[in-house]
Amino acid sequence: MKTRKRSACKTALAVAIAGGLFAGTAHAQLAGHNVILVHGFQQEDLANPPANLNEVKSAGEDYWRTFWLSRSDARVDWGSDGRVEGNIAQQAYQQLRDISQQGLCNDFCIVVSHSTGDLVTRYLLENQARWLQADGLQSLKILAAIDYSGAGGGTELADLALNIAYNDSWYNWPLKQAVRAFTGITPEPGSLGVVNDLQTNTARNLAVSPNNIPRLRFVAGGSSYGGITKPFIAGTDDGVVPTHSACGATTSDGIDSCSSNLSLAGKVSSQNGPSDLYYNHFPILMNEGASHSGVLGSETGNISVPVVNDTTLNGLRVDFASRTYNKRAWWQWWGSGDRYVEVPGSDQTDMSTLVYNTLNN
């Protein structure tokens, strides 16, 4: 692998911190296209189910406030106390109708999802054309989906939650603590809502028909909940979602990276990567230090690593700045050390800003 450097302009763009630069501008677009947000699992909905869609939408607005809210044109909000093929689909369809009637996607939209929003988005992309056309409405034209910490492949924490719900034994105490951190409740049958759909086998059998919409995956490997959930998730993870899910791997086998020759930290070396990826799923960036929620704009200080780069996906140009360098460990007194790849300066900003600035150029 050769060392590559981009133009000074692109490198500067990659490191820019634009927390307020684009807020309040006239066009809340990404690469010239309107943005639709689909949020992730909200544990508060299990303890206190929302009374109506207004409450669901209020919580959805708060979810994205850190970065993406001011850069979006519409949202699809949903209550986590429901199931994807049930109440969630019904709530989502009401909002899809509004988006269609407003013509927001006549020139294509880009969907931005987080966590379980990846699974919800997959279900909507498979069904939205049929739903809308049945009501005499134009289906939404979707250019691509940007999936942060995508839970479309499920998480082992959901498997544990269902096990605990039906086996509340004292010896399961360590598992209970991890599950409570994830769900916010003591699991009981019938109380877990969308967590049922996040079981690894369930998620991987929900709306899996291939389509022509590229899913751009952004993968984290940091800690959440003080690290107590990590021992119960297969392979590497971000404290909530396993890497096999976030990368878009076709199986739920534990893996350490989205690439067989590049670690989450950017080290060029043999890795336990996915045997295959779902059709049209592209791991774009990995970040070993970012947490599950930190990818949405709240964390800096973590290096992002380009995986699929220098390409155009359905008209969306993906061209993150990158550099390859060698680094010796403190104990290495000879040799050139290990080779690493990184997005230069990515530790000076957060992942959402980095992605927005790069794809918006």
Side-chain angles (χ1 to χ4, degrees):
M1 183 181 296
K2 295 182 179 179
T3 300
R4 294 180 298 165
K5 293 184 179 180
R6 300 286 178 76
S7 67
C9 177
K10 178 55 100 175
T11 302
L13 191 61
V15 304
I17 300 176
L21 183 60
F22 296 94
T25 56
H27 301 286
Q29 293 187 323
L30 178 60
H33 300 281
N34 290 335
V35 172
I36 300 173
L37 305 178
V38 184
H39 65 74
F41 169 62
Q42 305 210 66
Q43 60 177 215
E44 296 85 356
D45 290 350
L46 301 187
N48 298 291
N52 50 50
L53 186 57
N54 286 336
E55 289 192 5
V56 169
K57 291 182 72 63
S58 177
E61 183 177 16
D62 288 340
Y63 192 99
W64 295 102
R65 201 173 294 281
T66 302
F67 181 87
W68 281 102
L69 184 64
S70 63
R71 295 160 177 86
S72 66
D73 305 274
R75 301 189 316 276
V76 175
D77 301 319
W78 51 276
S80 296
D81 58 317
R83 299 291 300 272
V84 171
E85 295 183 298
N87 287 344
I88 292 174
Q90 294 172 17
Q91 292 168 345
Y93 181 59
Q94 294 182 53
Q95 297 161 84
L96 294 177
R97 281 180 56 91
D98 292 340
I99 294 170
S100 176
Q101 290 169 338
Q102 294 174 48
L104 289 178
C105 297
N106 289 351
D107 189 32
F108 288 92
C109 284
I110 294 174
V111 176
V112 176
S113 79
H114 178 239
S115 191
T116 310
D118 168 32
L119 181 61
V120 174
T121 295
R122 194 170 76 208
Y123 186 76
L124 298 183
L125 292 180
E126 184 169 285
N127 292 284
Q128 61 94 9
R130 175 173 55 84
W131 291 344
L132 291 168
Q133 289 169 3
D135 268 359
L137 297 172
Q138 182 175 334
S139 61
L140 307 186
K141 296 187 206 176
I142 306 299
L143 186 74
I146 294 172
D147 304 310
Y148 289 99
S149 298
T155 172
E156 289 79 6
L157 295 179
D159 298 331
L160 288 176
L162 269 295
N163 289 338
I164 294 296
Y166 289 93
N167 182 19
D168 189 20
S169 302
W170 66 268
Y171 56 81
N172 283 331
W173 186 86
L175 304 183
K176 289 180 184 178
Q177 301 313 302
V179 167
R180 283 173 182 155
F182 169 52
T183 64
I185 63 171
T186 299
E188 295 179 356
S191 68
L192 287 169
V194 77
V195 175
N196 289 277
D197 297 312
L198 287 173
Q199 295 174 90
T200 51
N201 287 338
T202 304
R204 290 175 175 275
N205 284 285
L206 185 64
V208 292
S209 298
N211 60 59
N212 63 355
I213 300 170
R215 308 295 299 269
L216 282 61
R217 320 290 289 182
F218 296 87
V219 180
S223 290
S224 303
Y225 313 123
I228 67 172
T229 54
K230 278 187 171 289
F232 306 105
I233 304 176
T236 56
D237 61 86
D238 60 15
V240 178
V241 172
T243 299
H244 67 74
S245 176
C247 296
T250 54
T251 70
S252 59
D253 299 333
I255 59 174
D256 298 325
S257 172
C258 299
S259 168
S260 60
N261 58 17
L262 190 64
S263 76
L264 261 69
K267 183 178 179 180
V268 180
S269 61
S270 178
Q271 300 292 316
N272 177 21
S275 57
D276 201 5
L277 297 170
Y278 282 123
Y279 177 73
N280 243 353
H281 283 54
F282 302 93
I284 304 298
L285 294 182
M286 302 184 296
N287 190 308
E288 184 183 50
S291 70
H292 182 70
S293 60
V295 296
L296 295 183
S298 61
E299 290 180 0
T300 61
N302 303 306
I303 291 288
S304 288
V305 177
V307 184
V308 176
N309 199 20
D310 288 329
T311 188
T312 299
L313 301 171
N314 208 24
L316 183 63
R317 183 64 186 160
V318 178
D319 57 350
F320 288 86
S322 67
R323 84 176 178 107
T324 304
Y325 63 97
N326 283 50
K327 181 173 71 173
R328 288 191 301 185
W330 64 269
W331 47 266
Q332 290 178 315
W333 294 93
W334 58 88
S336 58
D338 297 315
R339 178 163 291 188
Y340 286 82
V341 180
E342 69 174 15
V343 176
S346 52
D347 58 334
Q348 298 175 33
T349 187
D350 61 89
M351 188 180 275
S352 282
T353 299
L354 175 62
V355 171
Y356 183 87
N357 287 349
T358 302
L359 299 185
N360 203 44
N361 185 39

